[in-house]
Amino acid sequence: QMLDKLASADAETAPTVVLDAGIASEENLAWLVDHGYRYLVVSRKRHREFDPEAAVLIKEDEDVTIRAQRRVNADTGEVELYCHSSQREEKERGIANLFAQRFEAALAKLAEGLHKKGTVKRYDKVLERLGRLREKYARAAQYYDITVDQAGGKATALHWQRTKPIAETLPGVYCLRTNENAWDEATLWRTYTMLTDLEAVFRCLKSELGLRPIFHRKTDRVSGQGNRIK
């Protein structure tokens, strides 16, 4: 209903709808296409690729450098913009290192327990504990090769080795997808970042007015009554 009101009947082209990843489902994108809208969204796919040689510089200052690589998906016809942010890379590397440190500390504790009295030593139980650690630290565990030695049904040693460095996971890279094929890299990136700027404004307003948190699923929870905010 909102989109129908925003669309102008006499407009030459339909508006471009910018969505964050939370509502950029295939179903919603199909609806936009069926109704003649253009869209610009963050891709949900986990696969990332980025060739610095094929990328163009979008933004560069003291805080951040943004580069983008534009390509057309042969299967869908969409334009995919793979963006690399130096600031985002630093953040993702820090998070990855933190999770790796915690995962290795948990593995070391499990390994030490194999030689202590009163701790879990049965091979199947150790594998069960290891599975729980993999689940808890899934972000880091996928990059480790772990083996457990056993003798007589008991685990005797635990070995682990990191098989993939952080650099191979392309930290700082994200992908934008759109059915707008006439815009260049800078226009696509700057248009999407408008969404981030608007969200920052909303957060600021909510904080200053003391309206957070807003449980906005029901209209009466955010409607004004006299001089009082419900």
Side-chain angles (χ1 to χ4, degrees):
Q1 293 176 348
M2 178 188 68
L3 291 175
D4 288 339
K5 291 180 180 179
L6 289 175
S8 175
D10 57 354
E12 294 183 0
T13 57
T16 298
V17 181
V18 183
L19 307 174
D20 61 22
I23 56 176
S25 65
E26 293 299 329
E27 182 181 1
N28 285 341
L29 295 185
W31 185 95
L32 291 172
V33 172
D34 291 342
H35 289 77
Y37 290 95
R38 293 169 296 169
Y39 59 82
L40 175 59
V41 305
V42 171
S43 174
R44 289 183 167 187
K45 67 179 182 181
R46 293 183 177 275
H47 172 71
R48 296 187 291 184
E49 56 184 81
F50 184 73
D51 181 5
E53 299 298 327
V56 298
L57 182 64
I58 300 296
K59 178 181 179 182
E60 185 176 25
D61 56 32
E62 296 180 355
D63 299 322
V64 62
T65 298
I66 304 292
R67 297 182 182 275
Q69 177 188 357
R70 187 181 188 274
R71 63 183 295 272
V72 178
N73 189 310
D75 296 327
T76 64
E78 290 181 320
V79 172
E80 295 178 341
L81 190 70
Y82 289 91
C83 307
H84 174 268
S85 165
S86 59
Q87 195 174 61
R88 181 167 179 156
E89 177 180 351
E90 183 179 354
K91 178 181 178 181
E92 289 186 1
R93 284 183 180 275
I95 294 175
N97 285 327
L98 178 61
F99 274 89
Q101 292 171 7
R102 291 177 177 175
F103 183 55
E104 291 188 13
L107 291 175
K109 184 177 180 180
L110 182 61
E112 292 173 1
L114 300 178
H115 308 288
K116 293 183 179 180
K117 184 177 180 180
T119 56
V120 175
K121 298 181 179 63
R122 278 177 49 187
Y123 181 70
D124 59 337
K125 290 295 183 181
V126 171
L127 292 183
E128 185 178 326
R129 290 280 183 89
L130 184 58
R132 291 176 181 172
L133 290 178
R134 283 184 176 276
E135 183 178 1
K136 182 177 181 180
Y137 300 102
R139 180 177 293 187
Q142 59 182 317
Y143 305 121
Y144 284 82
D145 181 24
I146 305 172
T147 58
V148 182
D149 298 337
Q150 66 163 323
K154 291 187 177 181
T156 58
L158 184 66
H159 310 280
W160 62 90
Q161 181 179 7
R162 184 156 190 164
T163 58
K164 183 184 294 185
I166 297 176
E168 291 187 17
T169 66
L170 294 178
V173 175
Y174 57 96
C175 178
L176 304 179
R177 53 185 289 203
T178 179
N179 59 350
E180 171 56 74
N181 55 21
W183 293 357
D184 60 14
E185 294 89 340
T187 303
L188 288 171
W189 182 82
R190 295 187 189 283
T191 300
Y192 185 80
T193 56
M194 290 172 59
L195 183 64
T196 304
D197 295 339
L198 288 171
E199 289 174 343
V201 172
F202 292 151
R203 285 195 299 270
C204 180
L205 290 175
K206 292 174 184 177
S207 298
E208 292 297 322
L209 296 176
L211 294 178
R212 300 184 74 180
I214 291 182
F215 303 99
H216 50 72
R217 292 196 178 100
K218 293 184 178 180
T219 304
D220 62 348
R221 288 179 175 172
V222 293
S223 62
Q225 183 178 21
N227 295 322
R228 182 171 63 89
I229 299 296
K230 284 188 176 182

